[in-house]
């Protein structure tokens, strides 16, 4: 037990050193600052890191789940923790919206972090900031970049399944639609390519891409762009019957490791989702895909920068919003 605690201390110490060494020249983004809780909750970084690490040791899939949870929060009406809210009599929230139902994971990790924080610094840290930090830790523990996370977000008091259904990008919609959804949040074309690289970890359920394998766009045939050996492998994992819809397939060949193999798979016509493979087939995005394929450090640096931008979308600060006592319900 002592050795485990020492390991956690080492991880946290390394994280803090990296945060200082990689911190950008500016110290504040809007009303957010990475030092926001230094006085009010100095154990914050350690509590988040140790909880994510414990969850990661039990299930490496949790890293991709936490990253996706953060993205699905921010891309729907901004980063205000709405994705964490349970449905109520008066509100149908985002957890059971079509893109999230039976697929979003990691809520218990955020709840555990919140419970620990309420013991050491009650009523201080927002659930939105917890989720933002947890996503960074998940990426870092999977071998990805570490970045200083600007903090100081407040939690929203409502959620909308309608917003989630309309605003979350679908793996089968045209790239133009996806780009429009990103730019409507103040993000750019580059962020589409960079943040899609988060698919370097994790899995997807077969129903999200099965039409590529057997009846692509109503043709009765597979997607002609798919590598033939990759197609055969996927058809074995996802047979053409409804019972296979929830089977899992890896998003790239190194599912537990955050790296640039995702982009190499696109170049080799082995992207799992239509929305992923589309990035190499469009002149606006193909050059970035090729750059990240040959330069992993460029991808890491750009991914960190895009995650900071994502975390600044539609935030509530100051007197707006609240600090929830429990992440699944408003105060």
């Amino acid at each position: 037990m002592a050795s485990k605690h020492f390991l956690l201390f080492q991880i946290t110490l390394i994280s803090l050193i990296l945060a200082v060494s990689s911190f950008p020249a500016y110290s504040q983004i809007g009303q957010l600052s990475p030092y926001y809780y230094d006085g009010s909750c100095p154990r914050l970084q350690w509590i988040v890191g140790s909880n994510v690490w414990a969850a990661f040791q039990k299930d490496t899939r949790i890293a991709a789940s936490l990253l996706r949870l953060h993205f699905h929060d921010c891309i729907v009406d901004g980063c205000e923790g709405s994705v964490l809210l349970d449905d109520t009599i008066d509100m149908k929230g985002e957890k059971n919206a079509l893109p999230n139902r039976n697929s979003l994971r990691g809520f218990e990790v955020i709840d555990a972090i919140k419970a620990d924080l309420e013991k050491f610094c009650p009523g201080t840290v927002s659930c939105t900031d917890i989720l933002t930090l947890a996503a960074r830790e998940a990426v870092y523990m999977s071998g990805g970049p570490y970045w200083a996370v600007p903090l100081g977000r407040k939690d929203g008091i409502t959620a909308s399944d309608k917003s989630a259904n309309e605003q979350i990008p679908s793996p089968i919609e045209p790239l133009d639609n996806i780009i429009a959804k990103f730019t409507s949040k103040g993000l750019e074309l580059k962020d589409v390519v960079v943040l899609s690289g988060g698919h370097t970890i994790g899995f997807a359920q077969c129903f999200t891409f099965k039409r590529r394998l057997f009846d692509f766009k109503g043709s009765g045939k597979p997607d002609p762009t798919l590598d033939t050996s990759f197609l055969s492998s996927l058809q074995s994992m996802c047979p053409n019957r409804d019972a296979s819809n929830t089977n899992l397939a890896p998003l790239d060949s190194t599912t537990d490791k955050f790296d640039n193999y995702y982009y190499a798979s696109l170049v080799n016509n082995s992207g799992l989702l239509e929305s992923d493979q589309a990035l190499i087939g469009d002149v606006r995005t193909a050059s970035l895909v090729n750059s990240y394929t040959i330069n992993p450090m460029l991808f890491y640096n750009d991914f960190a920068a895009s995650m900071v931008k994502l975390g600044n979308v539609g935030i509530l600060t100051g007197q707006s919003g609240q600090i929830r006592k429990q992440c699944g319900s408003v105060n």
Side-chain angles (χ1 to χ4, degrees):
M1 183 64 70
S3 61
K4 181 181 287 187
H5 286 180
F6 180 67
L7 179 58
L8 288 173
F9 172 77
Q10 286 182 311
I11 292 168
T12 306
L13 181 60
I14 292 170
S15 297
L16 289 172
I17 292 171
L18 285 170
V20 172
S21 63
S22 64
F23 190 66
Y26 49 83
S27 61
Q28 196 158 317
I29 297 180
Q31 298 182 56
L32 305 183
S33 166
Y35 309 119
Y36 186 84
Y37 297 108
D38 282 7
S40 59
C41 194
R43 295 192 185 192
L44 170 61
Q45 302 277 352
W46 186 88
I47 289 172
V48 174
S50 59
N51 273 277
V52 174
W53 175 256
F56 185 72
Q57 292 305 296
K58 294 177 183 177
D59 174 19
T60 54
R61 269 187 69 202
I62 200 63
S65 299
L66 290 170
L67 179 58
R68 182 169 183 253
L69 192 59
H70 173 56
F71 176 76
H72 280 217
D73 180 39
C74 293
I75 207 68
V76 178
D77 297 331
C79 308
E80 20 75 292
S82 58
V83 74
L84 304 173
L85 288 173
D86 296 322
D87 290 356
T88 68
I89 296 175
D90 303 317
M91 182 194 74
K92 192 174 181 183
E94 298 166 24
K95 282 187 176 182
N96 291 305
L98 290 175
N100 297 335
R101 187 184 306 157
N102 299 321
S103 66
L104 275 190
R105 304 168 71 244
F107 297 104
E108 72 286 350
V109 179
I110 304 304
D111 289 341
I113 295 170
K114 181 62 173 176
D116 282 352
L117 289 170
E118 287 300 302
K119 296 174 186 174
F120 291 101
C121 40
T124 302
V125 183
S126 69
C127 297
T128 311
D129 276 345
I130 292 170
L131 178 54
T132 307
L133 281 169
R136 189 273 311 276
E137 291 297 314
V139 169
Y140 181 57
M141 290 177 188
S142 300
Y146 189 98
W147 62 94
V149 175
L151 300 166
R153 301 165 189 80
K154 296 292 179 63
D155 296 320
I157 59 174
T158 188
S160 168
D161 69 325
K162 182 176 184 292
S163 292
N165 287 329
E166 292 175 351
Q167 297 175 29
I168 294 173
S170 163
I172 62 172
E173 69 181 319
L175 182 58
D176 282 340
N177 291 25
I178 295 173
I179 293 170
K181 289 181 177 182
F182 272 69
T183 55
S184 72
K185 308 298 179 183
L187 300 171
E188 303 172 17
L189 176 65
K190 180 179 180 180
D191 299 309
V192 176
V193 183
V194 175
L195 293 175
S196 293
H199 288 167
T200 182
I201 53 176
F203 295 77
Q205 295 185 56
C206 289
F207 78 88
T208 61
F209 59 86
K210 190 186 284 187
R211 79 170 190 170
R212 298 188 72 197
L213 312 183
F214 304 101
D215 186 22
F216 184 59
K217 296 183 178 179
S219 66
K221 299 178 181 179
D223 183 345
T225 66
L226 270 172
D227 175 80
T228 53
S229 61
F230 185 55
L231 171 63
S232 178
S233 173
L234 290 178
Q235 288 176 331
S236 297
M237 283 186 270
C238 304
N240 193 19
R241 54 179 182 267
D242 289 344
S244 72
N245 283 348
T246 57
N247 290 358
L248 297 175
L251 283 162
D252 83 356
S253 59
T254 56
T255 55
D256 297 334
K257 182 175 172 54
F258 195 100
D259 53 31
N260 66 329
Y261 280 29
Y262 162 82
Y263 296 104
S265 70
L266 303 186
V267 172
N268 294 324
N269 293 319
S270 298
L272 185 64
L273 305 178
E274 286 178 48
S275 55
D276 291 334
Q277 193 60 50
L279 296 175
I280 193 63
D282 192 294
V283 294
R284 295 170 295 177
T285 53
S287 60
L288 274 172
V289 171
N290 286 315
S291 294
Y292 295 144
T293 300
I294 61 177
N295 192 337
M297 289 310 300
L298 177 64
F299 167 50
Y300 284 12
N301 290 337
D302 286 353
F303 188 83
S306 286
M307 285 295 287
V308 172
K309 287 176 65 178
L310 175 68
N312 207 39
V313 170
I315 58 172
L316 302 174
T317 59
Q319 299 302 309
S320 301
Q322 62 180 215
I323 303 294
R324 290 184 209 144
K325 296 177 182 177
Q326 295 184 332
C327 292
S329 59
V330 298
N331 297 341

